[in-house]
Amino acid sequence: MKKSLLIAFSVATGITMVGCNSTDKAEKEVVKQEVVVQEDMAQTDVSGTEVIEASETQLVTGSVGYRERIALPANAIITVTLADVSLADAPSKTLAEQTFEAAEKSSPFDYALEFNTADIQANHRYSVRATIKVDGKLRFTTDTNYAVITDEAKTMKQDLLLKGVRQ
């Protein structure tokens, strides 16, 4: 980011200096237009992030499961969350969340989290996590980071394995 800003500034300065040496007014006008174009390009390059259209939405999908061979009661609440976990010393920012009851289904449970691509920054880290609560008490949770979207593989499907919580 700093390199692209430095290069853009150097080019703009160089073009301006060339314009100062010119005696022809028409040439100076062309140089000024080139400087404006270079500055516009520099603003695009300086951001250093991927430009994604604001109105586009995508899905992170997968399943939620656990190893224990027990059936959940019908009133068990499963919550799956997509969050920005970039800042280590700050709470994560939730981008999408899906909550549903286990009903008569058994593990694994499918989920789909829809998010707006305008909320995604290429240099941030995003993670999916899940919990299962029964009667308001936590029974299962993820204990592993399940990276998505901006990870090395650009993961859009993540199967989550939850661990039992001691009571």
Side-chain angles (χ1 to χ4, degrees):
M1 183 167 101
K2 290 181 181 180
K3 269 187 181 177
S4 62
L5 181 60
L6 182 60
I7 290 170
F9 182 76
S10 298
V11 169
T13 304
I15 291 173
T16 304
M17 295 303 244
V18 169
C20 291
N21 290 336
S22 175
T23 57
D24 186 18
K25 192 171 186 175
E27 274 185 23
K28 286 184 180 180
E29 199 60 39
V30 170
V31 170
K32 285 181 184 178
Q33 289 174 354
E34 286 178 0
V35 170
V36 169
V37 170
Q38 288 296 330
E39 287 175 355
D40 288 345
M41 287 174 48
Q43 289 174 357
T44 303
D45 292 339
V46 169
S47 67
T49 59
E50 256 180 58
V51 178
I52 302 174
E53 291 191 25
S55 62
E56 189 177 333
T57 59
Q58 291 185 346
L59 289 176
V60 172
T61 60
S63 64
V64 175
Y66 53 90
R67 288 192 179 176
E68 288 81 348
R69 293 182 172 240
I70 59 169
L72 292 174
N75 67 340
I77 304 293
I78 300 144
T79 304
V80 186
T81 307
L82 170 63
D84 181 344
V85 294
S86 301
L87 301 174
D89 59 345
S92 60
K93 177 184 173 190
T94 301
L95 299 177
E97 184 174 89
Q98 181 182 9
T99 302
F100 53 94
E101 286 189 354
E104 299 299 320
K105 299 177 189 172
S106 62
S107 176
F109 304 95
D110 293 330
Y111 71 88
L113 298 170
E114 184 176 3
F115 64 93
N116 190 343
T117 54
D119 296 336
I120 303 302
Q121 296 182 25
N123 59 345
H124 282 210
R125 293 180 304 124
Y126 299 91
S127 180
V128 179
R129 67 179 316 268
T131 59
I132 299 176
K133 293 182 179 181
V134 177
D135 296 328
K137 293 183 180 180
L138 184 64
R139 293 288 306 270
F140 295 94
T141 188
T142 49
D143 68 345
T144 305
N145 179 39
Y146 291 97
V148 292
I149 305 169
T150 57
D151 63 326
E152 193 172 295
K154 306 285 187 210
T155 308
M156 296 303 281
K157 181 177 182 352
Q158 192 66 270
D159 296 328
L160 310 177
L161 180 62
L162 280 64
K163 302 290 182 179
V165 175
R166 292 185 187 190
Q167 306 249 335

